[in-house]
Amino acid sequence: MKFFIDTADVEEIKALAPTGLVDGVTTNPSLIMKSGRDFREVVAEICAIVDGPVSAEVTATEAPEMIKEGVSLADIADNVTVKLPLTLEGLVACKALTEEGIDTNVTLCFSANQALLAAKAGATFISPFIGRLDDINVDGMELIRDIRMIYDNYDFRTEILAASIRSANHVKESAIAGADVATVPPAVLKSLVRHPLTDKGLDAFLADWAKTGQKIL
Ligand code: E4P
């Protein structure tokens, strides 16, 4: 499973990049607003830090404008993936940009039928929003499982990018359900490594090692 980080905070990306766990980055207009920075500048900086796909979202709502915005965003760097909303216009733009060889991430997916349409439009990634479904008492993980089955049934190449992830458990369940990618907030990525028994075990080993009076180097 690939990990993307879901943030437009360049400092957080810089801090996590050396872990080797960052396969890509996703941004959205809300994350750009939160960063308080210029959109194109932030995307360019992220693309220089991370080799993998960096999603940058269009804000037009009509296909011709979405296509123009998408082409312009793709010009920022080779690893920009153009993010498009899951609307009919977004699907038209997805098809056109795909035909121009531009990678796409169709976002705001809340149903299996929407995911089916995105795959037919040639999307590189589909982003089902797990957390926002859970928020309205709908099982977000069931959507990941349904999409996995549909894509496998028809051999669609579109990658399932589990989004709106809120917890370590979401990551584990997405991996079990066969999502290709999980886009995770930095805090969730950091939480994946932690286990109290690891800390306890390490403390005990180090205490016993100190008693031996030895050094490795
Ligand atoms: C990712 O591409 C999405 O924009 C993001 O995961 C949304 O997460 P949220 O529901 O926590 O805002």
Side-chain angles (χ1 to χ4, degrees), residues 22-174:
V22 183
D23 300 305
V25 174
T26 50
T27 68
N28 64 40
S30 303
L31 292 171
I32 296 296
M33 185 270 292
K34 209 169 141 197
S35 78
R37 297 200 44 207
D38 177 79
F39 181 27
R40 299 183 75 91
E41 221 174 82
V42 170
V43 171
E45 282 179 33
I46 298 173
C47 288
I49 302 166
V50 176
D51 290 336
V54 175
S55 289
E57 189 160 341
V58 302
T59 52
T61 53
E62 303 294 323
E65 282 305 307
M66 285 173 163
I67 295 165
K68 279 188 212 153
E69 287 186 359
V71 168
S72 158
L73 290 172
D75 259 356
I76 297 175
D78 287 347
N79 53 333
V80 166
T81 294
V82 176
K83 213 172 179 189
L84 302 151
L86 217 160
T87 59
L88 215 44
E89 295 293 312
L91 294 175
V92 171
C94 176
K95 189 168 184 296
L97 291 168
T98 300
E99 282 168 3
E100 290 192 37
I102 293 172
D103 286 346
T104 53
N105 173 1
V106 178
T107 190
L108 291 167
C109 171
F110 294 96
S111 81
N113 279 332
Q114 287 181 318
L116 178 56
L117 298 184
K120 286 182 72 69
T124 314
F125 299 101
I126 181 69
S127 287
F129 276 36
I130 300 168
R132 293 193 196 186
L133 280 171
D134 286 355
D135 289 346
I136 58 160
N137 290 324
V138 176
D139 182 4
M141 217 48 73
E142 194 180 324
L143 176 58
I144 303 283
R145 288 190 287 272
D146 286 350
I147 299 173
R148 180 74 283 154
M149 195 177 290
I150 291 168
Y151 282 10
D152 289 349
N153 281 349
Y154 296 97
D155 207 20
F156 283 122
R157 301 285 94 195
T158 300
E159 293 191 43
I160 303 171
L161 198 174
S164 189
I165 281 186
R166 308 268 170 81
S167 65
N169 209 39
H170 272 159
V171 177
K172 182 187 81 175
E173 295 293 329
S174 299

Side-chain angles (χ1 to χ4, degrees), residues 200-214:
K200 194 177 165 196
L202 183 59
D203 286 348
F205 285 156
L206 293 180
D208 288 343
W209 178 248
K211 286 177 204 155
T212 70
Q214 299 179 53

